Amino acid sequence: MIEPRLNRVLCPGPASPATPATSGADAPAPAGMHRMAYWEWRGWGAWNDTGHPAHSRVVVCVHGLARQGRDFDNLARALSPHARVICPDVAGRGQSDWLADPMAYQIPQYVSDMLALLAQLQQSGPISTLDWVGTSMGGLIGLVIAGQPGLPLPVPVRRLVLNDIGPVVQWQALQRIAQYLGRWGQFDSLQQAADALWSVSSSFGPHTPAQWLELSRAMVRPLPQGGLALHYDPALAVPFRAAYSTPESVTAGEAALWRLYDQITARTLLLRGMQSDLLAPATAQAMAGRGPRAHVVEFEGVGHAPMLMAADQLAAVTQFLLAQ
């Protein structure tokens, strides 16, 4: 079975000294910097085969708010024979450093980190084609990158997949997320952690117990004293609750996001869980009629957000990205 390689890129912005030891490299990041981890998938040849024609085709897959890059394992395995698939752990999550300033856990910092990642990928092998798959927060990062002219991208984003996210997010959904974000404790086993995660994640759609256990494996880290804790910095909740404290605070940035969306030139696919409480049907309809005129695909029995494991979800994304 194809497995990814774990790499890291140095990004501007100081790391927190509280970063768990398991999330760092052999030495701390230099002063004023932090390391973002990313999982690199290649379904062909040796790892040093930079001359392979698929090496220049890159698909970046970015996860949601409290998730991490291994969410995309199934999609990455499907795409890796055709492209270099890159699945970062956004700062403060997974194997990446935590940030010294909790208020840095916002889209501008994440965009800066992704630009550093793309520059490193470009150095290791020139990028000829760049596609982006973003779930929820990862979609917002992609929306900014694809919709903001003048960013130092190796090449423009060619195809963009927005997974249950758009310029308008529903305040009630954000309040639901705020109820559990950053409120985590210790677990005695992976199964106990998986059960706790399912209690706040059932909207992701139907999964078998085995599938959910596998999705939960990278969501925890071992504690020095024994047991497990969730993988992310609980300080993620600080800017999230500050930014979405009232309905008015949620709507404040909508006009700017619509402007960015309208500037996107990439061919765009919008995925929506039909029971999503975050992406309203009216927003999806508006996205289909303006800007890049996203093609909308909805999935019955799924809320926020599709996990891209079910066969119909995988087919929608792979067919969109691999079509000529």
Side-chain angles (χ1 to χ4, degrees), residues 155-178:
V155 291
V157 176
R158 181 190 70 119
R159 294 193 180 175
L160 173 65
V161 180
L162 300 176
N163 186 11
D164 213 66
I165 193 67
V168 179
V169 293
Q170 300 302 298
W171 185 71
Q172 294 86 347
L174 297 172
Q175 293 305 293
R176 172 179 59 80
I177 295 168

Side-chain angles (χ1 to χ4, degrees), residues 5 32-33 57 81 93-94 98 116 126 132 137 147 166 181 192 253 275 292:
R5 172 176 289 186
M33 306 290 284
R57 183 175 190 174
R93 290 92 165 164
W98 294 5
W132 192 283
M137 178 192 73
L181 183 65
Q192 187 182 68
Q275 281 71 51

Side-chain angles (χ1 to χ4, degrees), residues 60-65 72 90 93 107 110 114 132-145 160-163 165:
V60 178
C61 302
V62 186
H63 58 77
L65 178 67
F72 295 101
V90 177
R93 290 92 165 164
I107 298 297
Y110 304 151
M114 296 303 162
W132 192 283
V133 179
T135 295
S136 196
M137 178 192 73
L140 285 180
I141 299 169
L143 189 156
V144 173
I145 285 178
L160 173 65
V161 180
L162 300 176
N163 186 11
I165 193 67

Side-chain angles (χ1 to χ4, degrees), residues 41-86:
W41 295 78
R42 303 185 194 178
W44 69 88
W47 273 92
N48 61 0
D49 181 14
T50 56
H52 192 285
H55 189 275
S56 66
R57 183 175 190 174
V58 171
V59 181
V60 178
C61 302
V62 186
H63 58 77
L65 178 67
R67 303 292 303 181
Q68 38 64 45
R70 297 305 299 266
D71 276 356
F72 295 101
D73 280 11
N74 282 23
L75 178 63
R77 286 193 180 98
L79 292 173
S80 61
H82 312 280
R84 187 179 178 191
V85 185
I86 307 296

Side-chain angles (χ1 to χ4, degrees), residues 2-322:
I2 300 169
E3 292 296 331
R5 172 176 289 186
L6 178 61
N7 296 316
R8 289 181 171 85
V9 58
L10 279 174
C11 305
S16 169
T19 296
T22 55
S23 294
D26 294 335
M33 306 290 284
H34 64 274
R35 287 186 173 93
M36 182 173 70
Y38 61 96
W39 303 90
E40 182 168 358
W41 295 78
R42 303 185 194 178
W44 69 88
W47 273 92
N48 61 0
D49 181 14
T50 56
H52 192 285
H55 189 275
S56 66
R57 183 175 190 174
V58 171
V59 181
V60 178
C61 302
V62 186
H63 58 77
L65 178 67
R67 303 292 303 181
Q68 38 64 45
R70 297 305 299 266
D71 276 356
F72 295 101
D73 280 11
N74 282 23
L75 178 63
R77 286 193 180 98
L79 292 173
S80 61
H82 312 280
R84 187 179 178 191
V85 185
I86 307 296
C87 305
D89 290 345
V90 177
R93 290 92 165 164
Q95 300 297 314
S96 292
D97 288 346
W98 294 5
L99 299 179
D101 178 9
M103 294 306 293
Y105 287 126
Q106 299 193 62
I107 298 297
Q109 178 68 63
Y110 304 151
V111 170
S112 173
D113 290 0
M114 296 303 162
L115 293 177
L117 169 61
L118 291 170
Q120 179 164 299
L121 296 175
Q122 174 76 353
Q123 287 181 348
S124 65
I127 299 172
S128 64
T129 301
L130 175 62
D131 295 333
W132 192 283
V133 179
T135 295
S136 196
M137 178 192 73
L140 285 180
I141 299 169
L143 189 156
V144 173
I145 285 178
Q148 188 168 332
L151 291 180
L153 301 175
V155 291
V157 176
R158 181 190 70 119
R159 294 193 180 175
L160 173 65
V161 180
L162 300 176
N163 186 11
D164 213 66
I165 193 67
V168 179
V169 293
Q170 300 302 298
W171 185 71
Q172 294 86 347
L174 297 172
Q175 293 305 293
R176 172 179 59 80
I177 295 168
Q179 289 176 3
Y180 66 81
L181 183 65
R183 298 188 172 120
W184 49 275
Q186 186 172 337
F187 307 101
D188 295 329
S189 66
L190 176 60
Q191 185 62 63
Q192 187 182 68
D195 292 343
L197 287 166
W198 182 249
S199 70
V200 296
S201 307
S202 59
S203 64
F204 289 177
H207 295 91
T208 68
Q211 285 176 326
W212 188 251
L213 194 66
E214 192 57 34
L215 278 170
S216 300
R217 194 173 303 278
M219 292 291 293
V220 294
R221 58 181 176 85
L223 292 168
Q225 68 271 27
L228 302 167
L230 291 186
H231 68 96
Y232 65 82
D233 183 355
L236 296 180
V238 175
F240 184 87
R241 294 196 176 102
Y244 303 129
S245 57
T246 65
E248 292 74 22
S249 65
V250 175
T251 59
E254 289 178 5
L257 286 174
W258 276 120
R259 283 194 297 272
L260 289 168
Y261 180 78
D262 288 340
Q263 294 176 144
I264 292 173
T265 58
R267 187 174 171 188
T268 301
L269 172 67
L270 176 62
L271 307 178
R272 180 178 180 272
M274 289 191 70
Q275 281 71 51
S276 176
D277 62 349
L278 189 138
L279 178 64
T283 302
Q285 184 178 8
M287 294 170 71
R290 60 187 286 184
R293 298 183 181 273
H295 174 64
V296 181
V297 177
E298 295 185 304
F299 302 106
E300 182 56 70
V302 182
H304 181 79
M307 288 300 290
L308 309 184
M309 288 188 70
D312 58 341
Q313 297 172 22
L314 283 174
V317 176
T318 55
Q319 290 172 12
F320 173 73
L321 294 178
L322 298 179

